[in-house]
mmCIF file of all heavy atoms in Angstrom:
data_model
loop_
_atom_site.group_PDB
_atom_site.id
_atom_site.type_symbol
_atom_site.label_atom_id
_atom_site.label_comp_id
_atom_site.label_asym_id
_atom_site.label_seq_id
_atom_site.Cartn_x
_atom_site.Cartn_y
_atom_site.Cartn_z
ATOM 1 N N GLN A 1 -60.982 31.548 52.162
ATOM 2 C CA GLN A 1 -61.369 32.458 51.080
ATOM 3 C C GLN A 1 -60.186 32.750 50.161
ATOM 4 O O GLN A 1 -60.307 32.689 48.939
ATOM 5 C CB GLN A 1 -61.921 33.749 51.651
ATOM 6 C CG GLN A 1 -62.397 34.697 50.572
ATOM 7 C CD GLN A 1 -63.063 35.943 51.130
ATOM 8 O OE1 GLN A 1 -63.259 36.058 52.327
ATOM 9 N NE2 GLN A 1 -63.398 36.857 50.253
ATOM 10 N N TYR A 2 -59.037 33.070 50.741
ATOM 11 C CA TYR A 2 -57.861 33.365 49.912
ATOM 12 C C TYR A 2 -57.374 32.123 49.166
ATOM 13 O O TYR A 2 -56.926 32.230 48.020
ATOM 14 C CB TYR A 2 -56.734 33.963 50.754
ATOM 15 C CG TYR A 2 -56.975 35.399 51.127
ATOM 16 C CD1 TYR A 2 -56.997 35.786 52.463
ATOM 17 C CD2 TYR A 2 -57.178 36.379 50.156
ATOM 18 C CE1 TYR A 2 -57.211 37.110 52.814
ATOM 19 C CE2 TYR A 2 -57.406 37.704 50.503
ATOM 20 C CZ TYR A 2 -57.422 38.060 51.831
ATOM 21 O OH TYR A 2 -57.633 39.374 52.173
ATOM 22 N N LEU A 3 -57.459 30.955 49.795
ATOM 23 C CA LEU A 3 -57.081 29.724 49.086
ATOM 24 C C LEU A 3 -57.956 29.516 47.861
ATOM 25 O O LEU A 3 -57.497 28.996 46.844
ATOM 26 C CB LEU A 3 -57.189 28.505 50.004
ATOM 27 C CG LEU A 3 -55.976 28.148 50.822
ATOM 28 C CD1 LEU A 3 -56.270 26.951 51.722
ATOM 29 C CD2 LEU A 3 -54.755 27.871 49.968
ATOM 30 N N GLY A 4 -59.199 29.946 47.950
ATOM 31 C CA GLY A 4 -60.114 29.845 46.813
ATOM 32 C C GLY A 4 -59.685 30.697 45.628
ATOM 33 O O GLY A 4 -60.088 30.439 44.496
ATOM 34 N N ASP A 5 -58.854 31.699 45.894
ATOM 35 C CA ASP A 5 -58.341 32.564 44.822
ATOM 36 C C ASP A 5 -57.077 32.005 44.172
ATOM 37 O O ASP A 5 -56.587 32.565 43.196
ATOM 38 C CB ASP A 5 -58.032 33.962 45.361
ATOM 39 C CG ASP A 5 -59.275 34.721 45.802
ATOM 40 O OD1 ASP A 5 -60.381 34.375 45.326
ATOM 41 O OD2 ASP A 5 -59.140 35.643 46.624
ATOM 42 N N LEU A 6 -56.534 30.943 44.751
ATOM 43 C CA LEU A 6 -55.284 30.352 44.263
ATOM 44 C C LEU A 6 -55.549 28.935 43.766
ATOM 45 O O LEU A 6 -56.363 28.223 44.342
ATOM 46 C CB LEU A 6 -54.242 30.300 45.386
ATOM 47 C CG LEU A 6 -53.854 31.625 46.021
ATOM 48 C CD1 LEU A 6 -52.953 31.376 47.217
ATOM 49 C CD2 LEU A 6 -53.162 32.521 45.003
ATOM 50 N N GLU A 7 -54.841 28.540 42.743
ATOM 51 C CA GLU A 7 -55.024 27.194 42.205
ATOM 52 C C GLU A 7 -53.912 26.267 42.678
ATOM 53 O O GLU A 7 -52.725 26.542 42.470
ATOM 54 C CB GLU A 7 -55.034 27.233 40.677
ATOM 55 C CG GLU A 7 -55.431 25.903 40.060
ATOM 56 C CD GLU A 7 -55.605 25.988 38.561
ATOM 57 O OE1 GLU A 7 -56.056 27.022 38.064
ATOM 58 O OE2 GLU A 7 -55.274 24.997 37.893
ATOM 59 N N GLY A 8 -54.298 25.172 43.336
ATOM 60 C CA GLY A 8 -53.346 24.135 43.701
ATOM 61 C C GLY A 8 -52.601 24.340 45.013
ATOM 62 O O GLY A 8 -51.834 23.484 45.423
ATOM 63 N N TRP A 9 -52.801 25.443 45.680
ATOM 64 C CA TRP A 9 -52.151 25.686 46.967
ATOM 65 C C TRP A 9 -52.948 24.987 48.057
ATOM 66 O O TRP A 9 -54.179 24.937 48.013
ATOM 67 C CB TRP A 9 -52.059 27.182 47.247
ATOM 68 C CG TRP A 9 -51.075 27.883 46.359
ATOM 69 C CD1 TRP A 9 -51.302 28.360 45.096
ATOM 70 C CD2 TRP A 9 -49.712 28.166 46.654
ATOM 71 N NE1 TRP A 9 -50.155 28.929 44.596
ATOM 72 C CE2 TRP A 9 -49.165 28.831 45.535
ATOM 73 C CE3 TRP A 9 -48.889 27.931 47.762
ATOM 74 C CZ2 TRP A 9 -47.844 29.254 45.482
ATOM 75 C CZ3 TRP A 9 -47.579 28.362 47.719
ATOM 76 C CH2 TRP A 9 -47.058 29.010 46.589
ATOM 77 N N LYS A 10 -52.229 24.455 49.046
ATOM 78 C CA LYS A 10 -52.855 23.733 50.149
ATOM 79 C C LYS A 10 -52.272 24.220 51.467
ATOM 80 O O LYS A 10 -51.142 24.713 51.509
ATOM 81 C CB LYS A 10 -52.590 22.233 50.012
ATOM 82 C CG LYS A 10 -53.160 21.639 48.744
ATOM 83 C CD LYS A 10 -52.786 20.198 48.615
ATOM 84 C CE LYS A 10 -53.333 19.682 47.290
ATOM 85 N NZ LYS A 10 -52.849 18.366 46.946
ATOM 86 N N THR A 11 -53.038 24.030 52.524
ATOM 87 C CA THR A 11 -52.508 24.379 53.836
ATOM 88 C C THR A 11 -51.601 23.252 54.328
ATOM 89 O O THR A 11 -51.730 22.100 53.908
ATOM 90 C CB THR A 11 -53.624 24.616 54.867
ATOM 91 O OG1 THR A 11 -54.435 23.454 54.955
ATOM 92 C CG2 THR A 11 -54.461 25.826 54.510
ATOM 93 N N ALA A 12 -50.689 23.615 55.204
ATOM 94 C CA ALA A 12 -49.758 22.658 55.819
ATOM 95 C C ALA A 12 -49.540 23.083 57.263
ATOM 96 O O ALA A 12 -49.918 24.188 57.666
ATOM 97 C CB ALA A 12 -48.430 22.665 55.061
ATOM 98 N N ASP A 13 -48.913 22.213 58.024
ATOM 99 C CA ASP A 13 -48.556 22.519 59.411
ATOM 100 C C ASP A 13 -49.751 23.026 60.210
ATOM 101 O O ASP A 13 -49.701 24.082 60.841
ATOM 102 C CB ASP A 13 -47.400 23.521 59.468
ATOM 103 C CG ASP A 13 -46.156 23.024 58.751
ATOM 104 O OD1 ASP A 13 -45.936 21.796 58.722
ATOM 105 O OD2 ASP A 13 -45.417 23.863 58.222
ATOM 106 N N LYS A 14 -50.847 22.257 60.142
ATOM 107 C CA LYS A 14 -52.072 22.593 60.884
ATOM 108 C C LYS A 14 -52.592 23.990 60.556
ATOM 109 O O LYS A 14 -53.059 24.726 61.421
ATOM 110 C CB LYS A 14 -51.843 22.436 62.386
ATOM 111 C CG LYS A 14 -51.488 21.014 62.772
ATOM 112 C CD LYS A 14 -51.255 20.900 64.246
ATOM 113 C CE LYS A 14 -50.858 19.460 64.565
ATOM 114 N NZ LYS A 14 -50.489 19.289 65.960
ATOM 115 N N GLY A 15 -52.466 24.363 59.298
ATOM 116 C CA GLY A 15 -53.009 25.637 58.831
ATOM 117 C C GLY A 15 -52.111 26.840 59.033
ATOM 118 O O GLY A 15 -52.529 27.964 58.785
ATOM 119 N N SER A 16 -50.859 26.618 59.439
ATOM 120 C CA SER A 16 -49.964 27.756 59.670
ATOM 121 C C SER A 16 -49.081 28.062 58.459
ATOM 122 O O SER A 16 -48.241 28.956 58.522
ATOM 123 C CB SER A 16 -49.086 27.511 60.899
ATOM 124 O OG SER A 16 -48.207 26.426 60.667
ATOM 125 N N ALA A 17 -49.278 27.346 57.353
ATOM 126 C CA ALA A 17 -48.492 27.559 56.133
ATOM 127 C C ALA A 17 -49.322 27.140 54.926
ATOM 128 O O ALA A 17 -50.307 26.400 55.053
ATOM 129 C CB ALA A 17 -47.192 26.757 56.183
ATOM 130 N N ILE A 18 -48.915 27.620 53.757
ATOM 131 C CA ILE A 18 -49.468 27.133 52.491
ATOM 132 C C ILE A 18 -48.300 26.675 51.628
ATOM 133 O O ILE A 18 -47.183 27.177 51.764
ATOM 134 C CB ILE A 18 -50.316 28.198 51.757
ATOM 135 C CG1 ILE A 18 -49.514 29.479 51.490
ATOM 136 C CG2 ILE A 18 -51.608 28.467 52.502
ATOM 137 C CD1 ILE A 18 -50.236 30.493 50.595
ATOM 138 N N HIS A 19 -48.577 25.714 50.741
ATOM 139 C CA HIS A 19 -47.523 25.212 49.863
ATOM 140 C C HIS A 19 -48.114 24.716 48.553
ATOM 141 O O HIS A 19 -49.314 24.422 48.460
ATOM 142 C CB HIS A 19 -46.729 24.091 50.542
ATOM 143 C CG HIS A 19 -47.522 22.840 50.719
ATOM 144 N ND1 HIS A 19 -47.433 21.762 49.875
ATOM 145 C CD2 HIS A 19 -48.447 22.490 51.642
ATOM 146 C CE1 HIS A 19 -48.244 20.799 50.266
ATOM 147 N NE2 HIS A 19 -48.878 21.220 51.349
ATOM 148 N N LYS A 20 -47.219 24.635 47.556
ATOM 149 C CA LYS A 20 -47.609 24.115 46.243
ATOM 150 C C LYS A 20 -46.377 23.521 45.580
ATOM 151 O O LYS A 20 -45.277 24.072 45.689
ATOM 152 C CB LYS A 20 -48.175 25.233 45.371
ATOM 153 C CG LYS A 20 -48.635 24.782 43.984
ATOM 154 C CD LYS A 20 -49.279 25.930 43.231
ATOM 155 C CE LYS A 20 -49.709 25.539 41.838
ATOM 156 N NZ LYS A 20 -50.406 26.632 41.132
ATOM 157 N N LEU A 21 -46.569 22.413 44.892
ATOM 158 C CA LEU A 21 -45.499 21.767 44.137
ATOM 159 C C LEU A 21 -45.607 22.172 42.672
ATOM 160 O O LEU A 21 -46.659 22.003 42.052
ATOM 161 C CB LEU A 21 -45.590 20.244 44.262
ATOM 162 C CG LEU A 21 -44.518 19.455 43.520
ATOM 163 C CD1 LEU A 21 -43.140 19.721 44.114
ATOM 164 C CD2 LEU A 21 -44.836 17.967 43.553
ATOM 165 N N PHE A 22 -44.520 22.711 42.141
ATOM 166 C CA PHE A 22 -44.437 23.088 40.727
ATOM 167 C C PHE A 22 -43.520 22.093 40.039
ATOM 168 O O PHE A 22 -42.444 21.778 40.553
ATOM 169 C CB PHE A 22 -43.859 24.505 40.589
ATOM 170 C CG PHE A 22 -44.756 25.573 41.147
ATOM 171 C CD1 PHE A 22 -44.699 25.913 42.492
ATOM 172 C CD2 PHE A 22 -45.666 26.226 40.331
ATOM 173 C CE1 PHE A 22 -45.524 26.901 43.018
ATOM 174 C CE2 PHE A 22 -46.498 27.213 40.845
ATOM 175 C CZ PHE A 22 -46.430 27.548 42.194
ATOM 176 N N GLU A 23 -43.932 21.603 38.876
ATOM 177 C CA GLU A 23 -43.136 20.619 38.141
ATOM 178 C C GLU A 23 -42.724 21.180 36.788
ATOM 179 O O GLU A 23 -43.493 21.895 36.136
ATOM 180 C CB GLU A 23 -43.920 19.324 37.986
ATOM 181 C CG GLU A 23 -44.216 18.693 39.346
ATOM 182 C CD GLU A 23 -44.938 17.376 39.238
ATOM 183 O OE1 GLU A 23 -46.174 17.382 39.088
ATOM 184 O OE2 GLU A 23 -44.230 16.349 39.292
ATOM 185 N N PHE A 24 -41.494 20.822 36.380
ATOM 186 C CA PHE A 24 -40.906 21.332 35.140
ATOM 187 C C PHE A 24 -40.300 20.192 34.345
ATOM 188 O O PHE A 24 -40.133 19.091 34.847
ATOM 189 C CB PHE A 24 -39.838 22.393 35.481
ATOM 190 C CG PHE A 24 -40.405 23.506 36.306
ATOM 191 C CD1 PHE A 24 -40.317 23.488 37.692
ATOM 192 C CD2 PHE A 24 -41.073 24.562 35.701
ATOM 193 C CE1 PHE A 24 -40.864 24.498 38.460
ATOM 194 C CE2 PHE A 24 -41.636 25.583 36.463
ATOM 195 C CZ PHE A 24 -41.524 25.546 37.845
ATOM 196 N N LYS A 25 -39.931 20.493 33.091
ATOM 197 C CA LYS A 25 -39.417 19.421 32.241
ATOM 198 C C LYS A 25 -37.934 19.143 32.455
ATOM 199 O O LYS A 25 -37.438 18.104 32.045
ATOM 200 C CB LYS A 25 -39.723 19.681 30.772
ATOM 201 C CG LYS A 25 -39.073 20.897 30.170
ATOM 202 C CD LYS A 25 -39.497 21.039 28.706
ATOM 203 C CE LYS A 25 -38.850 22.249 28.078
ATOM 204 N NZ LYS A 25 -39.199 22.378 26.671
ATOM 205 N N ASN A 26 -37.205 20.074 33.096
ATOM 206 C CA ASN A 26 -35.776 19.828 33.316
ATOM 207 C C ASN A 26 -35.230 20.767 34.390
ATOM 208 O O ASN A 26 -35.940 21.642 34.897
ATOM 209 C CB ASN A 26 -34.989 19.982 32.006
ATOM 210 C CG ASN A 26 -35.155 21.349 31.378
ATOM 211 O OD1 ASN A 26 -35.171 22.378 32.055
ATOM 212 N ND2 ASN A 26 -35.310 21.379 30.053
ATOM 213 N N TYR A 27 -33.982 20.585 34.712
ATOM 214 C CA TYR A 27 -33.322 21.360 35.756
ATOM 215 C C TYR A 27 -33.228 22.838 35.399
ATOM 216 O O TYR A 27 -33.422 23.712 36.248
ATOM 217 C CB TYR A 27 -31.930 20.770 36.007
ATOM 218 C CG TYR A 27 -31.220 21.361 37.197
ATOM 219 C CD1 TYR A 27 -31.630 21.068 38.495
ATOM 220 C CD2 TYR A 27 -30.133 22.196 37.028
ATOM 221 C CE1 TYR A 27 -30.984 21.587 39.594
ATOM 222 C CE2 TYR A 27 -29.468 22.740 38.121
ATOM 223 C CZ TYR A 27 -29.900 22.424 39.399
ATOM 224 O OH TYR A 27 -29.249 22.957 40.480
ATOM 225 N N TYR A 28 -32.933 23.119 34.148
ATOM 226 C CA TYR A 28 -32.812 24.513 33.696
ATOM 227 C C TYR A 28 -34.099 25.288 33.965
ATOM 228 O O TYR A 28 -34.067 26.398 34.504
ATOM 229 C CB TYR A 28 -32.451 24.553 32.202
ATOM 230 C CG TYR A 28 -32.479 25.944 31.643
ATOM 231 C CD1 TYR A 28 -31.407 26.812 31.844
ATOM 232 C CD2 TYR A 28 -33.577 26.412 30.937
ATOM 233 C CE1 TYR A 28 -31.430 28.114 31.349
ATOM 234 C CE2 TYR A 28 -33.614 27.704 30.439
ATOM 235 C CZ TYR A 28 -32.540 28.546 30.645
ATOM 236 O OH TYR A 28 -32.569 29.831 30.169
ATOM 237 N N HIS A 29 -35.242 24.726 33.591
ATOM 238 C CA HIS A 29 -36.520 25.400 33.804
ATOM 239 C C HIS A 29 -36.832 25.523 35.297
ATOM 240 O O HIS A 29 -37.375 26.536 35.736
ATOM 241 C CB HIS A 29 -37.647 24.673 33.068
ATOM 242 C CG HIS A 29 -37.603 24.901 31.599
ATOM 243 N ND1 HIS A 29 -37.083 23.986 30.725
ATOM 244 C CD2 HIS A 29 -38.001 25.956 30.854
ATOM 245 C CE1 HIS A 29 -37.164 24.468 29.497
ATOM 246 N NE2 HIS A 29 -37.706 25.662 29.549
ATOM 247 N N THR A 30 -36.475 24.495 36.056
ATOM 248 C CA THR A 30 -36.682 24.548 37.506
ATOM 249 C C THR A 30 -35.894 25.698 38.111
ATOM 250 O O THR A 30 -36.417 26.495 38.900
ATOM 251 C CB THR A 30 -36.270 23.220 38.165
ATOM 252 O OG1 THR A 30 -37.003 22.141 37.567
ATOM 253 C CG2 THR A 30 -36.537 23.239 39.660
ATOM 254 N N MET A 31 -34.632 25.809 37.736
ATOM 255 C CA MET A 31 -33.793 26.863 38.313
ATOM 256 C C MET A 31 -34.198 28.261 37.834
ATOM 257 O O MET A 31 -34.086 29.234 38.587
ATOM 258 C CB MET A 31 -32.319 26.586 38.018
ATOM 259 C CG MET A 31 -31.796 25.338 38.729
ATOM 260 S SD MET A 31 -32.204 25.256 40.492
ATOM 261 C CE MET A 31 -31.318 26.668 41.113
ATOM 262 N N ALA A 32 -34.692 28.372 36.626
ATOM 263 C CA ALA A 32 -35.196 29.663 36.153
ATOM 264 C C ALA A 32 -36.391 30.084 37.012
ATOM 265 O O ALA A 32 -36.503 31.255 37.412
ATOM 266 C CB ALA A 32 -35.582 29.573 34.680
ATOM 267 N N PHE A 33 -37.251 29.127 37.320
ATOM 268 C CA PHE A 33 -38.392 29.394 38.195
ATOM 269 C C PHE A 33 -37.916 29.805 39.590
ATOM 270 O O PHE A 33 -38.398 30.789 40.159
ATOM 271 C CB PHE A 33 -39.275 28.145 38.268
ATOM 272 C CG PHE A 33 -40.385 28.235 39.273
ATOM 273 C CD1 PHE A 33 -41.542 28.958 39.001
ATOM 274 C CD2 PHE A 33 -40.286 27.589 40.494
ATOM 275 C CE1 PHE A 33 -42.568 29.031 39.924
ATOM 276 C CE2 PHE A 33 -41.310 27.655 41.427
ATOM 277 C CZ PHE A 33 -42.449 28.380 41.141
ATOM 278 N N VAL A 34 -36.967 29.070 40.147
ATOM 279 C CA VAL A 34 -36.438 29.386 41.480
ATOM 280 C C VAL A 34 -35.877 30.804 41.509
ATOM 281 O O VAL A 34 -36.117 31.565 42.458
ATOM 282 C CB VAL A 34 -35.373 28.347 41.905
ATOM 283 C CG1 VAL A 34 -34.584 28.809 43.120
ATOM 284 C CG2 VAL A 34 -36.030 26.995 42.163
ATOM 285 N N ASN A 35 -35.139 31.185 40.489
ATOM 286 C CA ASN A 35 -34.585 32.539 40.429
ATOM 287 C C ASN A 35 -35.682 33.599 40.330
ATOM 288 O O ASN A 35 -35.572 34.674 40.933
ATOM 289 C CB ASN A 35 -33.590 32.671 39.277
ATOM 290 C CG ASN A 35 -32.284 31.995 39.597
ATOM 291 O OD1 ASN A 35 -31.806 32.040 40.727
ATOM 292 N ND2 ASN A 35 -31.695 31.353 38.600
ATOM 293 N N ALA A 36 -36.730 33.304 39.600
ATOM 294 C CA ALA A 36 -37.843 34.251 39.499
ATOM 295 C C ALA A 36 -38.567 34.376 40.844
ATOM 296 O O ALA A 36 -38.945 35.482 41.250
ATOM 297 C CB ALA A 36 -38.806 33.814 38.400
ATOM 298 N N VAL A 37 -38.733 33.267 41.545
ATOM 299 C CA VAL A 37 -39.348 33.299 42.877
ATOM 300 C C VAL A 37 -38.470 34.106 43.837
ATOM 301 O O VAL A 37 -38.967 34.909 44.636
ATOM 302 C CB VAL A 37 -39.606 31.875 43.414
ATOM 303 C CG1 VAL A 37 -40.042 31.902 44.880
ATOM 304 C CG2 VAL A 37 -40.662 31.166 42.564
ATOM 305 N N ALA A 38 -37.162 33.932 43.736
ATOM 306 C CA ALA A 38 -36.239 34.693 44.580
ATOM 307 C C ALA A 38 -36.362 36.192 44.300
ATOM 308 O O ALA A 38 -36.308 37.011 45.234
ATOM 309 C CB ALA A 38 -34.808 34.217 44.358
ATOM 310 N N TRP A 39 -36.537 36.566 43.044
ATOM 311 C CA TRP A 39 -36.705 37.978 42.684
ATOM 312 C C TRP A 39 -37.984 38.537 43.309
ATOM 313 O O TRP A 39 -37.980 39.640 43.862
ATOM 314 C CB TRP A 39 -36.722 38.117 41.161
ATOM 315 C CG TRP A 39 -36.859 39.529 40.702
ATOM 316 C CD1 TRP A 39 -35.874 40.461 40.584
ATOM 317 C CD2 TRP A 39 -38.077 40.179 40.301
ATOM 318 N NE1 TRP A 39 -36.410 41.649 40.126
ATOM 319 C CE2 TRP A 39 -37.749 41.509 39.945
ATOM 320 C CE3 TRP A 39 -39.396 39.759 40.201
ATOM 321 C CZ2 TRP A 39 -38.697 42.414 39.507
ATOM 322 C CZ3 TRP A 39 -40.347 40.665 39.763
ATOM 323 C CH2 TRP A 39 -39.992 41.974 39.419
ATOM 324 N N ILE A 40 -39.066 37.777 43.234
ATOM 325 C CA ILE A 40 -40.327 38.205 43.863
ATOM 326 C C ILE A 40 -40.128 38.360 45.367
ATOM 327 O O ILE A 40 -40.546 39.354 45.968
ATOM 328 C CB ILE A 40 -41.464 37.192 43.570
ATOM 329 C CG1 ILE A 40 -41.866 37.263 42.100
ATOM 330 C CG2 ILE A 40 -42.671 37.451 44.472
ATOM 331 C CD1 ILE A 40 -42.784 36.137 41.657
ATOM 332 N N ALA A 41 -39.477 37.388 45.982
ATOM 333 C CA ALA A 41 -39.248 37.432 47.431
ATOM 334 C C ALA A 41 -38.450 38.667 47.824
ATOM 335 O O ALA A 41 -38.772 39.340 48.809
ATOM 336 C CB ALA A 41 -38.532 36.162 47.875
ATOM 337 N N HIS A 42 -37.436 38.971 47.056
ATOM 338 C CA HIS A 42 -36.620 40.145 47.343
ATOM 339 C C HIS A 42 -37.436 41.429 47.185
ATOM 340 O O HIS A 42 -37.409 42.312 48.046
ATOM 341 C CB HIS A 42 -35.397 40.167 46.414
ATOM 342 C CG HIS A 42 -34.568 41.396 46.565
ATOM 343 N ND1 HIS A 42 -33.785 41.630 47.666
ATOM 344 C CD2 HIS A 42 -34.434 42.474 45.760
ATOM 345 C CE1 HIS A 42 -33.190 42.810 47.535
ATOM 346 N NE2 HIS A 42 -33.566 43.333 46.379
ATOM 347 N N ARG A 43 -38.164 41.499 46.119
ATOM 348 C CA ARG A 43 -38.947 42.704 45.835
ATOM 349 C C ARG A 43 -40.047 42.931 46.868
ATOM 350 O O ARG A 43 -40.325 44.056 47.257
ATOM 351 C CB ARG A 43 -39.542 42.596 44.437
ATOM 352 C CG ARG A 43 -40.260 43.839 44.023
ATOM 353 C CD ARG A 43 -40.524 43.850 42.563
ATOM 354 N NE ARG A 43 -41.197 45.098 42.239
ATOM 355 C CZ ARG A 43 -41.746 45.352 41.104
ATOM 356 N NH1 ARG A 43 -41.709 44.464 40.150
ATOM 357 N NH2 ARG A 43 -42.341 46.491 40.886
ATOM 358 N N GLU A 44 -40.690 41.851 47.312
ATOM 359 C CA GLU A 44 -41.792 41.962 48.273
ATOM 360 C C GLU A 44 -41.317 41.877 49.727
ATOM 361 O O GLU A 44 -42.103 42.085 50.647
ATOM 362 C CB GLU A 44 -42.836 40.869 48.011
ATOM 363 C CG GLU A 44 -43.548 41.003 46.686
ATOM 364 C CD GLU A 44 -44.363 42.292 46.562
ATOM 365 O OE1 GLU A 44 -44.954 42.758 47.568
ATOM 366 O OE2 GLU A 44 -44.413 42.849 45.441
ATOM 367 N N ASP A 45 -40.051 41.536 49.935
ATOM 368 C CA ASP A 45 -39.489 41.330 51.270
ATOM 369 C C ASP A 45 -40.299 40.298 52.059
ATOM 370 O O ASP A 45 -40.613 40.473 53.236
ATOM 371 C CB ASP A 45 -39.377 42.644 52.046
ATOM 372 C CG ASP A 45 -38.441 42.522 53.249
ATOM 373 O OD1 ASP A 45 -37.581 41.624 53.258
ATOM 374 O OD2 ASP A 45 -38.598 43.326 54.198
ATOM 375 N N HIS A 46 -40.655 39.229 51.357
ATOM 376 C CA HIS A 46 -41.384 38.107 51.968
ATOM 377 C C HIS A 46 -40.841 36.832 51.323
ATOM 378 O O HIS A 46 -40.997 36.640 50.117
ATOM 379 C CB HIS A 46 -42.890 38.248 51.744
ATOM 380 C CG HIS A 46 -43.689 37.332 52.602
ATOM 381 N ND1 HIS A 46 -43.700 37.420 53.979
ATOM 382 C CD2 HIS A 46 -44.491 36.298 52.282
ATOM 383 C CE1 HIS A 46 -44.479 36.476 54.469
ATOM 384 N NE2 HIS A 46 -44.975 35.778 53.454
#
């Protein structure tokens, strides 16, 4: 049900994880995304 609310996420490791591949046009955009994900992780403590 929750996967149905997300676009492009898939289960992995026999259903014990979810993952998604994000693609960008260059390294700068990739690292900006990584830093934003790190901020979310810190804020949510997950």
Side-chain angles (χ1 to χ4, degrees):
Q1 183 175 355
Y2 285 123
L3 271 178
D5 293 338
L6 301 173
E7 189 173 325
W9 290 84
K10 299 176 183 170
T11 57
D13 302 329
K14 298 179 182 175
S16 65
I18 57 172
H19 69 99
K20 181 176 178 177
L21 180 65
F22 294 86
E23 297 183 277
F24 303 95
K25 64 181 180 178
N26 58 40
Y27 188 72
Y28 173 80
H29 286 100
T30 303
M31 293 312 296
F33 173 78
V34 167
N35 285 322
V37 171
W39 181 82
I40 290 169
H42 175 72
R43 185 165 181 191
E44 294 297 324
D45 197 22
H46 194 64

